[in-house]
């Protein structure tokens, strides 16, 4: 026994500890010192500058939002309110083929890069410049980054409606390699979008080749989430096999009424592939999607809500069919007049969302769109919605399993070293919440609302959010890719 009491910066006493691994909770005290977890156990002999009584509330690793479009938001709004209020302590930016860097625009950002901001938001011609800007902004959360295929295309190509030439692919690869050498986590694609749809699989395969040596991964907003989804999944597997890299399928869903009910089939495909290669997916806990307005999805068989329109900002919040009726035109024509615009698509079945969300290979990622004036509520609500609505109220999955999908699974897959678990020596990214009260408050009508029941959030050991208020401290920073997840003893995939 120590005769001298040990000292911590912060002591969290009497928590139900969800360590992130999926293990059931246990009552523990946790000590934080110098930004790290210093001790876990019965720490009644410890002293600390600050003692927080957990009173049996849940203490978990800070949530990792693996699917974000926060690239420029972490710099322009470093308080990161939509995320810190959910208990998110790390965001991964650069998803869906679009990243803020390395980018040198020739004009306005092509769709959907405009989701990240207007032309003046793109100021990072190299990944190193982006990393520097993130750290200079001192964001409240940690930031990991993917490099977007579409962003690289827009740098190297005069037009995006064709395949890249061998020379252009070389140019993209050189930029990707610069990013990987500066700690990027991997490559993302957004093959469904017009700006990347003309890229053949071989273009992506060639571009993915440098990933393996760097221990990086490939994530994809697939070529389609509609009827041909199984072919699109095969394409994603093929890229992974060719480049010998893990694959993450972004926001896995069965989109469109003719596709509803197919999640069993889709997950069977995923499970089959997982026997041969490392693959996972992320999803957000809502049955409506959101992106820029895509006229291909204006088919008349689902409702579409307009969230923004450059020529017609007054139409935000209205259904496209109402706007079309008001103008006395077809929905296609109304959609054309609204462009460029953003939309929420009422395009999933609840059963499919539940089946995909509860699958053990699925991580939680918000896909939140912080630049949208009427953002899909997933931006402010994704994580508490899983914990409150799906875990507590709908009993869809155990709390410890939901926490695993937000923490250790995510950290291992993306190579975020010493995060995602409450473990001695790990970074002290932590969230204290009340499982009985946690609840998403953001709605489609009023989306910018902080969650209830998130009581305290620490980032790198620093108390950043407490009892509904930010403390003013911002202790996040850029996080480089850590050890490759492939050889991980825990078998992340
Ligand atoms: Zn996407
Ligand atoms: Cu996305």
């Amino acid at each position: 026994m120590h005769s001298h009491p040990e000292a911590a910066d912060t002591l969290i006493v009497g928590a139900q500890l969800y360590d992130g691994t999926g293990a059931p909770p246990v009552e523990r005290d946790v000590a934080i010192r110098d930004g790290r977890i210093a001790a876990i156990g019965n720490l009644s002999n410890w002293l600390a500058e600050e003692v927080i009584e957990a009173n049996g509330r849940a203490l978990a690793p800070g949530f990792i939002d693996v699917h974000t479009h926060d690239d420029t938001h972490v710099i322009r709004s470093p308080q990161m309110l939509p995320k810190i209020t959910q208990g998110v302590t790390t965001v991964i930016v650069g998803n869906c083929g679009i990243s803020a860097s390395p980018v040198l625009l020739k004009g306005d950002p092509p769709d959907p890069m405009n989701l990240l901001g207007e032309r003046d938001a793109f100021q990072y011609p190299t990944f190193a410049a982006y990393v520097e800007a993130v750290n200079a902004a001192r964001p409240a959360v940690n930031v990991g980054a993917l490099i977007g295929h579409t962003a690289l295309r827009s740098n190297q190509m005069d037009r995006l409606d064709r395949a890249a030439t061998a020379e252009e692919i070389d140019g993209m690869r050189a930029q990707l390699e610069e990013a990987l050498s500066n700690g990027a986590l991997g490559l993302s694609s957004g093959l469904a979008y017009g700006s990347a749809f003309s890229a053949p699989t071989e273009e992506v395969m060639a571009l993915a080749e440098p990933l393996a040596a760097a221990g990086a991964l490939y994530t994809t907003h697939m070529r389609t989430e509609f009827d041909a989804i199984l072919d699109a999944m095969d394409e994603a597997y093929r890229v992974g096999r060719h480049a010998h890299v893990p694959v993450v399928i972004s926001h896995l869903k069965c989109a469109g009424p003719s596709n509803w009910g197919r999640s069993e089939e889709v997950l069977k495909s995923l499970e089959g592939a997982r026997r041969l290669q490392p693959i996972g997916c992320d999803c957000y806990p809502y049955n409506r999607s959101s992106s820029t307005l895509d006229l291909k999805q204006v088919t008349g068989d689902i409702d579409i809500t307009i969230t923004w329109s450059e020529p017609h900002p007054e139409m935000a919040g209205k259904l496209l069919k109402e706007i079309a009726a008001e103008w006395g035109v077809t929905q296609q024509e109304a959609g054309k007049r609204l462009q460029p615009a953003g939309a929420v698509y009422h395009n999933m079945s609840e059963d499919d969302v539940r089946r995909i969300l509860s699958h053990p290979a699925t991580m939680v990622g918000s896909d939140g769109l912080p630049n949208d004036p009427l953002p899909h509520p997933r931006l402010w609500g994704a994580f508490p919605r899983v914990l409150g609505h799906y875990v507590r109220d709908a009993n869809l999955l155990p709390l410890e399993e939901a926490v695993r999908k937000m923490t250790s699974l995510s950290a291992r897959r993306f190579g975020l070293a010493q995060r995602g678990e409450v473990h001695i020596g790990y970074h002290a990214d932590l969230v204290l919440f009340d499982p009985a009260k946690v609840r998403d408050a953001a709605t489609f009508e009023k989306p910018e609302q902080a969650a209830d029941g998130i009581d305290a959030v620490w980032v790198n050991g620093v108390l950043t959010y407490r009892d509904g208020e930010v403390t003013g401290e911002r202790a996040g920073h850029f996080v480089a890719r850590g050890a490759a997840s492939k050889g991980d003893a825990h078998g992340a995939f």
Side-chain angles (χ1 to χ4, degrees):
M1 286 300 288
H2 289 278
S3 48
H4 302 291
E6 296 241 35
D9 299 331
T10 304
L11 208 50
I12 304 162
V13 177
Q16 285 294 315
L17 179 65
Y18 291 79
D19 70 1
T21 64
V26 282
E27 191 182 322
R28 291 284 186 271
D29 307 330
V30 171
I32 302 172
R33 188 165 55 203
D34 297 332
R36 304 265 180 168
I37 310 281
I40 305 167
N42 179 340
L43 307 179
S44 50
N45 59 329
W46 279 60
L47 300 173
E49 265 163 52
E50 182 161 34
V51 178
I52 302 230
E53 299 284 347
N55 294 319
R57 285 170 295 176
L59 183 68
F63 305 138
I64 298 169
D65 191 348
V66 295
H67 192 115
T68 86
H69 296 288
D70 290 331
D71 301 52
T72 56
H73 206 61
V74 295
I75 296 168
R76 298 195 291 188
S77 304
Q79 206 70 256
M80 289 297 289
L81 284 179
K83 298 300 165 72
I84 201 77
T85 55
Q86 296 183 62
V88 168
T89 54
T90 300
V91 298
I92 295 177
V93 305
N95 279 279
C96 297
I98 58 175
S99 54
S101 81
V103 170
L104 205 66
L105 289 177
K106 298 170 191 89
D108 285 333
D111 177 278
M113 282 176 70
N114 53 358
L115 289 174
L116 303 182
E118 289 173 22
R119 190 174 182 169
D120 63 353
F122 294 86
Q123 301 179 356
Y124 318 104
T126 62
F127 188 68
Y130 178 73
V131 171
E132 203 175 298
V134 167
N135 286 333
R138 294 188 303 113
V141 299
N142 300 307
V143 182
L146 298 161
I147 301 305
H149 168 227
T150 301
L152 298 175
R153 296 189 108 227
S154 84
N155 294 336
Q156 302 292 334
M157 301 172 69
D158 56 346
R159 48 189 302 172
L160 302 177
D161 58 351
R162 61 171 176 83
T165 64
E167 238 186 326
E168 288 162 345
I169 292 174
D170 283 347
M172 291 193 242
R173 272 177 72 144
Q175 290 194 295
L176 177 61
E177 282 168 347
E178 180 269 327
L180 292 171
S181 72
N182 283 296
L185 302 173
L187 171 72
S188 78
S189 70
L191 299 174
Y193 291 104
S195 45
F197 191 77
S198 302
T201 313
E202 289 73 16
E203 177 181 319
V204 185
M205 285 160 60
L207 192 53
E209 284 167 5
L211 296 172
L217 87 175
Y218 171 62
T219 76
T220 179
H221 175 155
M222 296 188 294
R223 203 171 289 274
T224 182
E225 297 169 331
F226 290 80
D227 294 2
I229 184 170
L230 293 177
D231 296 337
M233 292 173 80
D234 285 342
E235 180 179 37
Y237 308 156
R238 192 176 160 214
V239 173
R241 281 200 307 274
H242 172 79
H244 305 287
V245 289
V247 176
V248 170
I249 296 177
S250 296
H251 43 59
L252 182 59
K253 67 173 77 70
C254 297
S258 62
N259 223 7
W260 289 351
R262 291 186 67 204
S263 52
E264 247 171 301
E265 211 183 322
V266 159
L267 290 170
K268 206 168 268 172
S269 162
L270 188 77
E271 284 166 8
R274 275 162 62 81
R275 287 185 208 108
L276 307 171
Q277 62 189 115
I279 301 181
C281 62
D282 60 66
C283 95
Y284 47 81
Y286 296 86
N287 58 20
R288 299 180 192 174
S289 69
S290 182
S291 188
T292 48
L293 177 61
D294 173 11
L295 294 178
K296 288 198 310 273
Q297 295 186 50
V298 179
T299 46
D301 58 352
I302 56 158
D303 279 340
I304 296 176
T305 309
I306 298 302
T307 61
W308 59 271
S309 161
E310 230 167 77
H312 294 284
E314 74 282 5
M315 293 303 176
K318 287 195 181 181
L319 288 173
L320 180 59
K321 66 180 180 199
E322 296 169 351
I323 300 169
E326 205 179 305
W327 288 345
V329 298
T330 63
Q331 290 195 49
Q332 268 294 328
E333 176 57 29
K336 245 177 250 167
R337 291 187 195 175
L338 289 162
Q339 295 281 38
V344 164
Y345 304 89
H346 305 224
N347 67 354
M348 285 172 255
S349 96
E350 180 63 22
D351 281 355
D352 288 332
V353 172
R354 291 182 178 211
R355 194 172 287 117
I356 291 169
L357 179 62
S358 55
H359 191 277
T362 306
M363 295 169 280
V364 178
S366 71
D367 202 6
L369 301 173
N371 294 310
D372 193 319
L374 188 67
H376 187 302
R378 65 195 186 189
L379 175 66
W380 287 77
F383 289 79
R385 182 169 169 81
V386 173
L387 301 172
H389 178 68
Y390 283 115
V391 169
R392 182 190 58 235
D393 300 343
N395 227 332
L396 180 67
L397 68 168
L399 183 53
E400 57 267 30
E401 172 64 358
V403 169
R404 185 185 71 88
K405 290 165 166 294
M406 303 173 172
T407 58
S408 72
L409 182 62
S410 322
R412 291 174 193 176
R413 282 217 178 129
F414 281 86
L416 303 174
Q418 302 190 316
R419 298 189 193 274
E421 279 180 54
V422 181
H423 192 98
I424 292 175
Y426 273 36
H427 299 284
D429 293 342
L430 294 164
V431 53
L432 182 69
F433 65 95
D434 186 340
K437 290 194 186 140
V438 66
R439 187 184 74 92
D440 57 307
T443 63
F444 285 93
E445 293 73 30
K446 275 193 81 182
E448 297 180 311
Q449 299 201 77
D452 297 326
I454 303 290
D455 295 323
V457 185
W458 291 262
V459 179
N460 296 316
V462 177
L463 185 61
T464 306
Y465 183 70
R466 189 174 186 187
D467 300 331
E469 306 280 347
V470 289
T471 62
E473 302 286 340
R474 304 200 311 264
H477 53 73
F478 172 75
V479 285
R481 191 186 60 259
S485 53
K486 275 192 296 186
D488 194 304
H490 297 287
F493 284 84

